[in-house]
Amino acid sequence: MATSRATGVLTYLESKKNLAGSACGLAGLALTLAGVAGAYWPVVIAGLYGAGALIAPPERTAPPPFDPREELGVLREDLGRLRAYVAEVELPPGAEEALAELLELYAALLEPGWVADVLVTEPEAVHAVSRAVRQDVPESVDAYNRTRWWSRMTPGGESPEQHLERQLGLLREEAQRVTAGLHEVEARRQQTHTAYLEERGRS
């Protein structure tokens, strides 16, 4: 407890409030030495110190460090849990194949390496993959799993299988757009590096 108290005192001594208050207090001391403060010099010095401490800007609190690669690590774990979940669900052959291909695409995007290194620099792409893995795919599979039982009691209309395959197709198109966007990012980096080398060669 004594250590934390000493640390708190040291922190305040180094704070902007104390530095500003001390500067104003020194001004009060100068007034005292000049004979302006008179018999009330302690009050003048204390008042100027307090005023300086009040007008000092507040201390800036640094934001917590955040490593985007940690988010990808957690997302890989969530993808593993999603695979375990869908493995327990009975799906029609077409949807099962489409889902397997989609999950493989997500796994390739998240696999440690240069693709993940590009992905981590694109927050919108990370958000799209995260939303698909944690929300879109589980909800699509769960909705199919629940709806197919109702369709047996009330046949007719578009089948749950068709809805699921359409949803998986849309998710695959989104994943392909993410992949194409990452490819463009990497291509622009390569072009920028080429232009840099060409400029350096001319100079």
Side-chain angles (χ1 to χ4, degrees):
M1 184 173 181
T3 302
S4 62
R5 188 175 300 168
T7 302
V9 171
L10 182 62
T11 301
Y12 178 75
L13 290 175
E14 297 174 346
S15 68
K16 294 178 182 178
K17 287 185 176 296
N18 182 54
L19 294 176
S22 298
C24 291
L26 287 174
L29 181 60
L31 292 174
T32 300
L33 294 176
V36 177
Y40 299 101
W41 65 268
V43 177
V44 172
I45 294 176
L48 287 173
Y49 176 88
L54 285 174
I55 64 174
E59 295 292 327
R60 177 180 173 273
T61 303
F66 174 68
D67 184 0
R69 287 177 175 77
E70 293 181 1
E71 169 67 11
L72 293 192
V74 176
L75 194 49
R76 288 185 200 105
E77 295 175 1
D78 291 342
L79 178 60
R81 283 191 285 270
L82 175 61
R83 281 177 150 169
Y85 162 66
V86 299
E88 300 296 324
V89 180
E90 182 182 349
L91 298 174
E96 186 174 12
E97 183 179 350
L99 180 57
E101 292 177 357
L102 181 61
L103 296 182
E104 282 299 324
L105 184 52
Y106 292 145
L109 288 169
L110 295 171
E111 184 179 358
W114 72 266
V115 176
D117 290 343
V118 178
L119 174 64
V120 80
T121 64
E122 298 296 313
E124 291 185 5
V126 173
H127 176 69
V129 176
S130 174
R131 181 183 57 202
V133 169
R134 293 170 174 160
Q135 178 179 338
D136 296 333
V137 174
E139 287 185 1
S140 294
V141 174
D142 184 59
Y144 163 76
N145 201 29
R146 288 182 287 107
T147 307
R148 64 176 177 159
W149 296 105
W150 288 105
S151 65
R152 291 179 180 179
M153 292 184 287
T154 56
E158 197 168 16
S159 69
E161 289 81 2
Q162 291 174 312
H163 277 291
L164 177 60
E165 290 182 11
R166 187 183 306 165
Q167 291 165 8
L168 294 176
L170 293 171
L171 288 171
R172 182 176 179 81
E173 290 176 6
E174 180 186 56
Q176 289 173 336
R177 287 195 298 271
V178 169
T179 304
L182 297 179
H183 177 69
E184 289 178 5
V185 169
E186 188 64 18
R188 284 196 300 269
R189 288 181 181 175
Q190 188 177 29
Q191 292 168 1
T192 301
H193 188 60
T194 300
Y196 161 74
L197 292 176
E198 290 174 346
E199 182 65 27
R200 192 173 71 179
R202 285 193 291 268
S203 61

